[in-house]
Amino acid sequence: MTSLSGITPSGRLTLGNHLGALRRFTDPDGFYFVANLHAMTTKHDPRRLVALTREMATLMLAAGLPPGTVFIQSDVPAHAQLAYLLECTSYVGELSRMIQYKEKGNGRPMTRASLFTYPCLMAADILLYGTDRVPVGGDQDQHVELARDVAVRFNREYGETFVVPQLQKAALAMRIKDLQNPTAKMSKSDEDNAVGTIRLLDPPDVIRRQVMRAVTDSGGEVRHDEAAKPGITNLLEILAACTDGDPVELAKAYPTYGALKADTADAVLAVIEPLQKEYARLASDPVAVDDLLAEGRDRAIEASRPRLQAAVHAMGLAGSGG
Ligand code: AMP
Ligand code: TRP
């Protein structure tokens, strides 16, 4: 069983990223990477991308991911190489149906071609390592489905080459919502100072204030009810995810919104503060971070080589006997 996941450095990491993704990256044989190639599918600023990539990689290390599992996608050229082979295995029809493409690009002539082919790169990320589990938040299901379809098709047309991956759904925190707009996902692409978004590296007093100011619902009863009480339900989900509790059960313990908010703020900070301490320690030792990322890179290069080679040969690309 090998687990693999990536996070795109399109913004600074949020509590949603931590609860929905990062903290589930625990497989000592896994592969967890900063998906910087994926951050170029829309207009981007190279200097900001470098900074966000480094911050994200350091945060992944600070989150206690197993040693040797963390790397930066562009350090492993096999991802881009296999992506091209998979573009030759995918259909325009299936790529046009991707929600992300439809939302961000469809029809506009200046849409980057890479936004359209992005699911092939993601499939390459997954298939290179014989991954069978992909822990991601709910918004990525369609991409993992495509990776499955591509693997099945490749194996059928060119011979058994890839493991067909499973989607690994989170029991909790599938979608942490924005604190000011609790029907929308808390997103790292929101502007940096959006008050509804908790960033993992925001100062603790700012985070506490954000939770205390979260939008609630009319009526004063604390109840888990997504449709009628999206704000309170989101706070309960966050509290439950941070304390390994059950959101429906937790609701019964709170007579008022204020009490729920105070405990949620404490629970969020209990998760975030140790992470911030470790981040500060690592960030002050860039050589140690470089070494850890080089270790992850080398392991990923080794692990991905056989499948890339197998795919190259299977598709008829064997060149000078290599
Ligand atoms: P993204 O920030 O959309 O690039 O997502 C990176 C990873 O974090 C993916 O596995 C997402 O599904 C997960 N994720 C992002 N935002 C949230 C959220 N608000 N709640 C739960 N998981 C999330
Ligand atoms: N597309 C994912 C996101 O935007 C990040 C990602 C890239 C990924 N490659 C992956 C996730 C492979 C899981 C597996 O969040």
Side-chain angles (χ1 to χ4, degrees):
M1 290 290 250
T2 303
S3 145
L4 169 142
S5 198
I7 304 187
T8 307
S10 52
R12 304 184 56 231
L13 282 175
T14 70
L15 180 67
N17 292 129
H18 185 62
L19 297 177
L22 260 193
R23 68 167 187 167
R24 297 159 64 214
F25 297 175
T26 54
D27 177 4
D29 299 319
F31 296 90
Y32 305 114
F33 57 94
V34 180
N36 55 348
L37 298 174
H38 289 264
M40 307 199 298
T41 55
T42 51
K43 193 166 166 25
H44 78 289
D45 169 4
R47 273 194 303 181
R48 182 162 184 265
L49 180 55
V50 168
L52 283 174
T53 300
R54 180 74 178 189
E55 179 181 297
M56 191 171 282
T58 308
L59 258 172
M60 288 169 91
L61 294 167
L65 271 55
T69 60
V70 179
F71 65 99
I72 293 173
Q73 185 186 29
S74 62
D75 282 347
V76 184
H79 289 249
Q81 290 172 286
L82 183 61
Y84 179 70
L85 305 191
L86 297 184
E87 281 176 29
C88 302
T89 316
S90 309
Y91 299 132
V92 168
E94 62 193 350
L95 295 178
S96 320
R97 285 194 292 275
M98 292 288 138
I99 295 162
Q100 199 161 330
Y101 173 67
K102 286 205 268 190
E103 282 176 355
K104 286 203 218 161
N106 205 5
R108 284 192 287 277
M110 302 282 278
T111 300
R112 290 189 179 179
S114 56
L115 184 70
F116 185 65
T117 56
Y118 154 110
C120 299
L121 178 59
M122 180 153 160
D125 299 338
I126 296 172
L127 301 183
L128 267 178
Y129 297 93
T131 307
D132 38 26
R133 285 176 301 143
V134 186
V136 281
D139 54 347
Q140 295 294 320
D141 294 7
Q142 203 189 13
H143 292 139
V144 180
E145 286 298 328
L146 184 97
R148 288 169 55 85
D149 292 347
V150 167
V152 168
R153 188 179 307 141
F154 192 105
N155 289 345
R156 195 177 54 227
E157 289 185 16
Y158 304 111
E160 206 58 41
T161 308
F162 295 120
V163 174
V164 180
Q166 302 293 320
L167 186 68
Q168 197 186 13
K169 295 202 180 195
L172 278 175
M174 287 298 286
R175 241 169 221 255
I176 299 296
K177 306 294 193 327
D178 186 288
L179 295 177
Q180 292 299 316
N181 179 13
T183 52
K185 175 182 134 172
M186 182 183 286
S187 167
K188 67 170 140 58
S189 331
D190 286 338
E191 56 186 289
D192 275 352
N193 57 359
V195 280
T197 305
I198 294 182
R199 309 256 169 208
L200 294 176
L201 291 179
D202 279 348
D205 59 320
V206 171
I207 293 176
R208 181 176 298 279
R209 223 174 312 132
Q210 283 175 293
V211 176
M212 296 311 288
R213 283 203 207 139
V215 163
T216 47
D217 314 292
S218 56
E221 186 201 357
V222 175
R223 184 160 46 88
H224 189 277
D225 183 339
E226 175 100 49
K229 290 182 163 277
I232 291 299
T233 300
N234 189 35
L235 289 171
L236 285 166
E237 297 273 346
I238 292 172
L239 177 63
C242 291
T243 58
D244 284 326
D246 175 73
V248 179
E249 282 304 309
L250 279 169
K252 298 177 186 155
Y254 291 98
T256 62
Y257 288 174
L260 172 64
K261 284 182 170 177
D263 275 13
T264 304
D266 286 345
V268 167
L269 288 173
V271 168
I272 286 184
E273 278 181 318
L275 190 67
Q276 293 192 346
K277 280 212 182 76
E278 185 57 13
Y279 179 85
R281 193 184 71 75
L282 282 168
S284 69
D285 190 353
V287 177
V289 172
D290 288 345
D291 286 349
L292 289 166
L293 294 176
E295 185 190 339
R297 173 200 65 205
D298 292 345
R299 177 173 164 263
I301 288 175
E302 276 304 306
S304 58
R305 187 174 292 134
R307 272 194 191 76
L308 177 64
Q309 281 308 318
V312 163
H313 282 275
M315 290 189 95
L317 293 172
S320 47

PDB file of all heavy atoms in Angstrom, residues 239-260:
ATOM      1  N   LEU A 239     -14.062  21.965  15.081  1.00  0.00           N
ATOM      2  CA  LEU A 239     -13.778  21.506  16.453  1.00  0.00           C
ATOM      3  C   LEU A 239     -13.606  19.985  16.479  1.00  0.00           C
ATOM      4  O   LEU A 239     -12.670  19.456  17.080  1.00  0.00           O
ATOM      5  CB  LEU A 239     -14.928  21.937  17.378  1.00  0.00           C
ATOM      6  CG  LEU A 239     -14.840  21.471  18.834  1.00  0.00           C
ATOM      7  CD1 LEU A 239     -13.609  22.078  19.526  1.00  0.00           C
ATOM      8  CD2 LEU A 239     -16.116  21.878  19.603  1.00  0.00           C
ATOM      9  N   ALA A 240     -14.505  19.290  15.800  1.00  0.00           N
ATOM     10  CA  ALA A 240     -14.447  17.822  15.790  1.00  0.00           C
ATOM     11  C   ALA A 240     -13.149  17.340  15.129  1.00  0.00           C
ATOM     12  O   ALA A 240     -12.475  16.448  15.640  1.00  0.00           O
ATOM     13  CB  ALA A 240     -15.655  17.263  15.039  1.00  0.00           C
ATOM     14  N   ALA A 241     -12.792  17.980  14.012  1.00  0.00           N
ATOM     15  CA  ALA A 241     -11.579  17.546  13.306  1.00  0.00           C
ATOM     16  C   ALA A 241     -10.340  17.802  14.158  1.00  0.00           C
ATOM     17  O   ALA A 241      -9.404  17.012  14.154  1.00  0.00           O
ATOM     18  CB  ALA A 241     -11.468  18.280  11.967  1.00  0.00           C
ATOM     19  N   CYS A 242     -10.337  18.909  14.906  1.00  0.00           N
ATOM     20  CA  CYS A 242      -9.152  19.245  15.710  1.00  0.00           C
ATOM     21  C   CYS A 242      -9.062  18.408  16.981  1.00  0.00           C
ATOM     22  O   CYS A 242      -7.993  18.303  17.579  1.00  0.00           O
ATOM     23  CB  CYS A 242      -9.154  20.724  16.088  1.00  0.00           C
ATOM     24  SG  CYS A 242      -8.884  21.808  14.686  1.00  0.00           S
ATOM     25  N   THR A 243     -10.174  17.870  17.441  1.00  0.00           N
ATOM     26  CA  THR A 243     -10.163  17.138  18.717  1.00  0.00           C
ATOM     27  C   THR A 243     -10.492  15.657  18.517  1.00  0.00           C
ATOM     28  O   THR A 243     -10.682  14.933  19.500  1.00  0.00           O
ATOM     29  CB  THR A 243     -11.192  17.735  19.707  1.00  0.00           C
ATOM     30  OG1 THR A 243     -12.500  17.679  19.102  1.00  0.00           O
ATOM     31  CG2 THR A 243     -10.866  19.173  20.062  1.00  0.00           C
ATOM     32  N   ASP A 244     -10.601  15.225  17.272  1.00  0.00           N
ATOM     33  CA  ASP A 244     -10.992  13.839  16.970  1.00  0.00           C
ATOM     34  C   ASP A 244     -12.330  13.483  17.591  1.00  0.00           C
ATOM     35  O   ASP A 244     -12.527  12.370  18.093  1.00  0.00           O
ATOM     36  CB  ASP A 244      -9.922  12.838  17.437  1.00  0.00           C
ATOM     37  CG  ASP A 244      -8.737  12.830  16.501  1.00  0.00           C
ATOM     38  OD1 ASP A 244      -8.954  13.022  15.292  1.00  0.00           O
ATOM     39  OD2 ASP A 244      -7.614  12.671  16.996  1.00  0.00           O
ATOM     40  N   GLY A 245     -13.242  14.431  17.571  1.00  0.00           N
ATOM     41  CA  GLY A 245     -14.569  14.199  18.154  1.00  0.00           C
ATOM     42  C   GLY A 245     -15.611  13.991  17.069  1.00  0.00           C
ATOM     43  O   GLY A 245     -15.300  13.963  15.878  1.00  0.00           O
ATOM     44  N   ASP A 246     -16.855  13.887  17.516  1.00  0.00           N
ATOM     45  CA  ASP A 246     -17.969  13.719  16.586  1.00  0.00           C
ATOM     46  C   ASP A 246     -18.791  15.011  16.580  1.00  0.00           C
ATOM     47  O   ASP A 246     -19.257  15.440  17.641  1.00  0.00           O
ATOM     48  CB  ASP A 246     -18.834  12.536  17.037  1.00  0.00           C
ATOM     49  CG  ASP A 246     -20.053  12.409  16.160  1.00  0.00           C
ATOM     50  OD1 ASP A 246     -19.902  11.988  15.014  1.00  0.00           O
ATOM     51  OD2 ASP A 246     -21.155  12.788  16.613  1.00  0.00           O
ATOM     52  N   PRO A 247     -18.956  15.654  15.421  1.00  0.00           N
ATOM     53  CA  PRO A 247     -19.590  16.975  15.412  1.00  0.00           C
ATOM     54  C   PRO A 247     -21.033  16.970  15.925  1.00  0.00           C
ATOM     55  O   PRO A 247     -21.470  17.945  16.555  1.00  0.00           O
ATOM     56  CB  PRO A 247     -19.528  17.391  13.942  1.00  0.00           C
ATOM     57  CG  PRO A 247     -19.190  16.166  13.169  1.00  0.00           C
ATOM     58  CD  PRO A 247     -18.500  15.229  14.086  1.00  0.00           C
ATOM     59  N   VAL A 248     -21.761  15.903  15.682  1.00  0.00           N
ATOM     60  CA  VAL A 248     -23.168  15.854  16.136  1.00  0.00           C
ATOM     61  C   VAL A 248     -23.211  15.738  17.656  1.00  0.00           C
ATOM     62  O   VAL A 248     -23.989  16.426  18.338  1.00  0.00           O
ATOM     63  CB  VAL A 248     -23.898  14.661  15.469  1.00  0.00           C
ATOM     64  CG1 VAL A 248     -25.339  14.579  15.926  1.00  0.00           C
ATOM     65  CG2 VAL A 248     -23.815  14.784  13.944  1.00  0.00           C
ATOM     66  N   GLU A 249     -22.352  14.905  18.202  1.00  0.00           N
ATOM     67  CA  GLU A 249     -22.272  14.744  19.664  1.00  0.00           C
ATOM     68  C   GLU A 249     -21.786  16.027  20.328  1.00  0.00           C
ATOM     69  O   GLU A 249     -22.336  16.468  21.337  1.00  0.00           O
ATOM     70  CB  GLU A 249     -21.294  13.609  20.016  1.00  0.00           C
ATOM     71  CG  GLU A 249     -21.865  12.221  19.850  1.00  0.00           C
ATOM     72  CD  GLU A 249     -23.142  12.029  20.670  1.00  0.00           C
ATOM     73  OE1 GLU A 249     -23.118  12.335  21.877  1.00  0.00           O
ATOM     74  OE2 GLU A 249     -24.167  11.622  20.082  1.00  0.00           O
ATOM     75  N   LEU A 250     -20.768  16.634  19.752  1.00  0.00           N
ATOM     76  CA  LEU A 250     -20.185  17.845  20.348  1.00  0.00           C
ATOM     77  C   LEU A 250     -21.223  18.950  20.485  1.00  0.00           C
ATOM     78  O   LEU A 250     -21.206  19.711  21.455  1.00  0.00           O
ATOM     79  CB  LEU A 250     -19.013  18.337  19.484  1.00  0.00           C
ATOM     80  CG  LEU A 250     -17.680  17.610  19.689  1.00  0.00           C
ATOM     81  CD1 LEU A 250     -16.696  18.003  18.598  1.00  0.00           C
ATOM     82  CD2 LEU A 250     -17.091  17.933  21.068  1.00  0.00           C
ATOM     83  N   ALA A 251     -22.135  19.033  19.530  1.00  0.00           N
ATOM     84  CA  ALA A 251     -23.139  20.100  19.543  1.00  0.00           C
ATOM     85  C   ALA A 251     -23.912  20.120  20.854  1.00  0.00           C
ATOM     86  O   ALA A 251     -24.251  21.180  21.392  1.00  0.00           O
ATOM     87  CB  ALA A 251     -24.093  19.915  18.363  1.00  0.00           C
ATOM     88  N   LYS A 252     -24.150  18.941  21.400  1.00  0.00           N
ATOM     89  CA  LYS A 252     -24.975  18.846  22.620  1.00  0.00           C
ATOM     90  C   LYS A 252     -24.310  19.503  23.826  1.00  0.00           C
ATOM     91  O   LYS A 252     -24.965  19.839  24.796  1.00  0.00           O
ATOM     92  CB  LYS A 252     -25.253  17.365  22.929  1.00  0.00           C
ATOM     93  CG  LYS A 252     -26.035  16.682  21.825  1.00  0.00           C
ATOM     94  CD  LYS A 252     -26.230  15.210  22.125  1.00  0.00           C
ATOM     95  CE  LYS A 252     -26.887  14.516  20.919  1.00  0.00           C
ATOM     96  NZ  LYS A 252     -26.594  13.094  20.860  1.00  0.00           N
ATOM     97  N   ALA A 253     -23.004  19.660  23.769  1.00  0.00           N
ATOM     98  CA  ALA A 253     -22.267  20.183  24.934  1.00  0.00           C
ATOM     99  C   ALA A 253     -22.283  21.710  25.007  1.00  0.00           C
ATOM    100  O   ALA A 253     -21.811  22.281  25.980  1.00  0.00           O
ATOM    101  CB  ALA A 253     -20.828  19.676  24.881  1.00  0.00           C
ATOM    102  N   TYR A 254     -22.827  22.378  23.980  1.00  0.00           N
ATOM    103  CA  TYR A 254     -22.700  23.838  23.943  1.00  0.00           C
ATOM    104  C   TYR A 254     -24.039  24.554  24.046  1.00  0.00           C
ATOM    105  O   TYR A 254     -24.864  24.490  23.133  1.00  0.00           O
ATOM    106  CB  TYR A 254     -21.957  24.259  22.673  1.00  0.00           C
ATOM    107  CG  TYR A 254     -20.522  23.830  22.749  1.00  0.00           C
ATOM    108  CD1 TYR A 254     -20.091  22.659  22.141  1.00  0.00           C
ATOM    109  CD2 TYR A 254     -19.614  24.557  23.514  1.00  0.00           C
ATOM    110  CE1 TYR A 254     -18.778  22.229  22.267  1.00  0.00           C
ATOM    111  CE2 TYR A 254     -18.298  24.137  23.648  1.00  0.00           C
ATOM    112  CZ  TYR A 254     -17.884  22.974  23.024  1.00  0.00           C
ATOM    113  OH  TYR A 254     -16.597  22.561  23.171  1.00  0.00           O
ATOM    114  N   PRO A 255     -24.216  25.298  25.161  1.00  0.00           N
ATOM    115  CA  PRO A 255     -25.457  26.054  25.319  1.00  0.00           C
ATOM    116  C   PRO A 255     -25.487  27.296  24.430  1.00  0.00           C
ATOM    117  O   PRO A 255     -26.558  27.745  24.006  1.00  0.00           O
ATOM    118  CB  PRO A 255     -25.438  26.456  26.802  1.00  0.00           C
ATOM    119  CG  PRO A 255     -23.997  26.400  27.223  1.00  0.00           C
ATOM    120  CD  PRO A 255     -23.340  25.388  26.350  1.00  0.00           C
ATOM    121  N   THR A 256     -24.315  27.873  24.118  1.00  0.00           N
ATOM    122  CA  THR A 256     -24.303  29.137  23.358  1.00  0.00           C
ATOM    123  C   THR A 256     -23.279  29.096  22.222  1.00  0.00           C
ATOM    124  O   THR A 256     -22.319  28.336  22.258  1.00  0.00           O
ATOM    125  CB  THR A 256     -23.878  30.331  24.261  1.00  0.00           C
ATOM    126  OG1 THR A 256     -22.539  30.089  24.713  1.00  0.00           O
ATOM    127  CG2 THR A 256     -24.811  30.490  25.460  1.00  0.00           C
ATOM    128  N   TYR A 257     -23.489  29.997  21.271  1.00  0.00           N
ATOM    129  CA  TYR A 257     -22.531  30.148  20.173  1.00  0.00           C
ATOM    130  C   TYR A 257     -21.158  30.576  20.709  1.00  0.00           C
ATOM    131  O   TYR A 257     -20.122  30.110  20.238  1.00  0.00           O
ATOM    132  CB  TYR A 257     -23.003  31.228  19.184  1.00  0.00           C
ATOM    133  CG  TYR A 257     -24.190  30.839  18.328  1.00  0.00           C
ATOM    134  CD1 TYR A 257     -24.784  31.786  17.490  1.00  0.00           C
ATOM    135  CD2 TYR A 257     -24.700  29.548  18.331  1.00  0.00           C
ATOM    136  CE1 TYR A 257     -25.847  31.458  16.675  1.00  0.00           C
ATOM    137  CE2 TYR A 257     -25.772  29.211  17.519  1.00  0.00           C
ATOM    138  CZ  TYR A 257     -26.349  30.172  16.694  1.00  0.00           C
ATOM    139  OH  TYR A 257     -27.405  29.851  15.894  1.00  0.00           O
ATOM    140  N   GLY A 258     -21.187  31.480  21.701  1.00  0.00           N
ATOM    141  CA  GLY A 258     -19.924  32.021  22.241  1.00  0.00           C
ATOM    142  C   GLY A 258     -19.047  30.911  22.802  1.00  0.00           C
ATOM    143  O   GLY A 258     -17.832  30.894  22.579  1.00  0.00           O
ATOM    144  N   ALA A 259     -19.660  29.999  23.554  1.00  0.00           N
ATOM    145  CA  ALA A 259     -18.888  28.910  24.173  1.00  0.00           C
ATOM    146  C   ALA A 259     -18.296  28.007  23.087  1.00  0.00           C
ATOM    147  O   ALA A 259     -17.146  27.577  23.173  1.00  0.00           O
ATOM    148  CB  ALA A 259     -19.787  28.104  25.103  1.00  0.00           C
ATOM    149  N   LEU A 260     -19.080  27.760  22.049  1.00  0.00           N
ATOM    150  CA  LEU A 260     -18.590  26.921  20.944  1.00  0.00           C
ATOM    151  C   LEU A 260     -17.394  27.579  20.258  1.00  0.00           C
ATOM    152  O   LEU A 260     -16.383  26.946  19.976  1.00  0.00           O
ATOM    153  CB  LEU A 260     -19.715  26.672  19.931  1.00  0.00           C
ATOM    154  CG  LEU A 260     -19.283  25.974  18.633  1.00  0.00           C
ATOM    155  CD1 LEU A 260     -18.764  24.560  18.892  1.00  0.00           C
ATOM    156  CD2 LEU A 260     -20.439  25.927  17.623  1.00  0.00           C
TER     157      LEU A 260
END
